[in-house]
Amino acid sequence: MDPTTYPPPPGQTRRYAPPTRSGTVRFRIPSTNDIAETSYSIWGNLSSKKVPLICVHGGPGIPHDYLLPISLISTDYTIPVVMYDQVGCGRSTHFSPHQYHPSFFTIDLFLAELDNLIRCLGITVYDLFGHSWGGMLISSYALTQPAGLRKLILCSTPSSMKTFVQVGAELRSFLPLEIQASLSDPLSPEHATAAMELHRRHLCRVEPFFPEELMTSLHSLAENDTVHHAMNGGPSTPASVDINGSLKDWSVVSELGLVTEKTVPGGVLLINGYFDSAQDACVLPWFSKTKARVKWVQFALSSSMPHLEETDRFVGVVGRFLTTHS
């Protein structure tokens, strides 16, 4: 697979509105009782009769800026959209690497934060969107069978970290040998260039430069990679296929039969790109094992960021799914 032989995606073709309101909610960390703050932004009106879409960013530790074009769903479909930065990144409370042991950063921490945000915003019925790690998080959240969950959208989301690592190694094997060698040596002067080549193939194919929203999120990660390092392990870059942090054994494959029309009554939408780091093998268990209604859409020109690579089609696909009555 050589994405460089295919045409680039159209990218984002129109601007989006600023949030209707932004703020923070207090979050008491269950394991320590420390008080943190979760920063959020809302497009539209939560008091309307429309079911809100809560968007959960990836990383871990990559703030929501790169998801901002998804707010066009509020513009086009008058659906309230909520985005937030998970604690440890963006505009939410940050942690220094010496403040907590790496074992502090578990999926349970971020499940509790999501639950707290929903409760503090007074949301009773909602749809969830998760990108990459955010999709992993809402997968685990859905398995808790929370009250009020209607529809689930998983974008570029693996069903198990083991499969994701295997797919990543396979994608790297298609790279030129000199790039593979540089990727394997973080101390190599060519490592950064090699990593960018991998990212341009399987992270975001927009040319000639990454979108501003993505660069903002990546710069934030570079400034504080505490959460990313603790949960993924190794360098704070998608070029790494070695996961040795707290997510290394994460999987929902054996539990997907618990996702039913009762627990996710509105159904599940699966999204990935043809050149995605979450290739079909990562997504297939969700499609084949879940007992809820499920739809799978692949974006032919996209890698891991279809909302940035094929924005207009993405907004249409998601908007139609959200507005289709169950």
Side-chain angles (χ1 to χ4, degrees):
M1 176 186 292
D2 184 359
T4 62
T5 64
Y6 290 76
Q12 181 184 334
T13 57
R14 58 194 173 113
R15 298 302 298 172
Y16 44 85
T20 307
R21 68 182 175 98
S22 299
T24 60
V25 298
R26 286 165 54 90
F27 170 47
R28 184 179 297 276
I29 297 171
S31 62
T32 64
N33 278 330
D34 291 343
I35 299 297
E37 289 192 335
T38 301
S39 173
Y40 68 86
S41 292
I42 298 172
W43 288 259
N45 185 0
L46 292 181
S47 299
S48 72
K49 295 182 179 180
K50 294 289 187 74
V51 176
L53 176 66
I54 302 172
C55 299
V56 185
H57 66 72
I62 301 179
H64 79 271
D65 302 80
Y66 78 101
L67 297 180
L68 286 172
I70 299 175
S71 66
L72 286 167
I73 289 170
S74 179
T75 302
D76 292 359
Y77 295 90
T78 64
I79 293 171
V81 174
V82 179
M83 299 186 194
Y84 73 102
D85 290 337
Q86 296 155 29
V87 288
C89 76
R91 299 158 191 83
S92 295
T93 299
H94 282 222
F95 307 107
S96 74
H98 307 294
Q99 189 174 3
Y100 296 106
H101 189 272
S103 61
F104 168 79
F105 299 102
T106 66
I107 195 165
D108 288 340
L109 169 67
F110 297 100
L111 290 173
E113 181 188 27
L114 175 56
D115 204 46
N116 180 74
L117 177 71
I118 293 170
R119 184 174 61 255
C120 289
L121 292 180
I123 297 172
T124 55
V125 180
Y126 54 92
D127 300 323
L128 287 177
F129 169 93
H131 178 261
S132 188
W133 143 251
M136 295 164 60
L137 179 61
I138 67 171
S139 296
S140 293
Y141 190 74
L143 289 171
T144 69
Q145 302 184 7
L149 175 60
R150 189 183 68 142
K151 298 189 177 190
L152 200 65
I153 305 172
L154 304 173
C155 180
S156 302
T157 298
S159 53
S160 84
M161 192 57 80
K162 180 180 179 181
T163 302
F164 183 68
V165 169
Q166 291 172 341
V167 166
E170 182 179 353
L171 291 176
R172 284 175 59 151
S173 73
F174 291 107
L175 293 168
L177 291 178
E178 63 273 15
I179 294 179
Q180 293 185 48
S182 297
L183 285 173
S184 300
D185 181 9
L187 300 179
S188 166
E190 290 80 31
H191 179 78
T193 301
M196 182 55 69
E197 178 62 26
L198 179 66
H199 299 343
R200 290 198 176 281
R201 292 172 181 239
H202 301 297
L203 178 65
C204 183
R205 298 184 65 243
V206 173
E207 295 181 354
F209 306 109
F210 282 171
E212 179 183 353
E213 296 88 350
L214 178 57
M215 292 305 300
T216 298
S217 291
L218 292 177
H219 284 150
S220 181
L221 172 64
E223 291 172 357
N224 188 335
D225 68 350
T226 301
V227 179
H228 193 285
H229 188 87
M231 300 188 75
N232 279 355
S236 58
T237 166
S240 174
V241 296
D242 297 319
I243 304 296
N244 50 37
S246 62
L247 290 177
K248 65 179 180 179
D249 297 319
W250 180 89
S251 174
V252 292
V253 173
S254 65
E255 302 172 275
L256 290 177
L258 300 175
V259 179
T260 67
E261 293 188 10
K262 181 178 180 180
T263 59
V264 187
V268 179
L269 174 62
L270 307 173
I271 295 172
N272 71 335
Y274 182 73
F275 306 102
D276 210 313
S277 56
Q279 287 283 296
D280 291 357
C282 295
V283 181
L284 183 59
W286 260 103
F287 188 74
S288 61
K289 293 180 180 295
T290 178
K291 291 181 170 59
R293 289 185 293 275
V294 60
K295 180 179 182 179
W296 186 352
V297 178
Q298 187 172 84
F299 286 74
L301 298 178
S302 292
S303 53
S304 298
M305 302 277 174
H307 57 286
L308 294 174
E309 295 167 291
E310 299 179 66
T311 304
D312 284 344
R313 184 186 172 214
F314 180 92
V315 170
V317 166
V318 173
R320 287 190 293 273
F321 174 73
L322 293 174
T323 52
T324 300
H325 294 294
S326 312

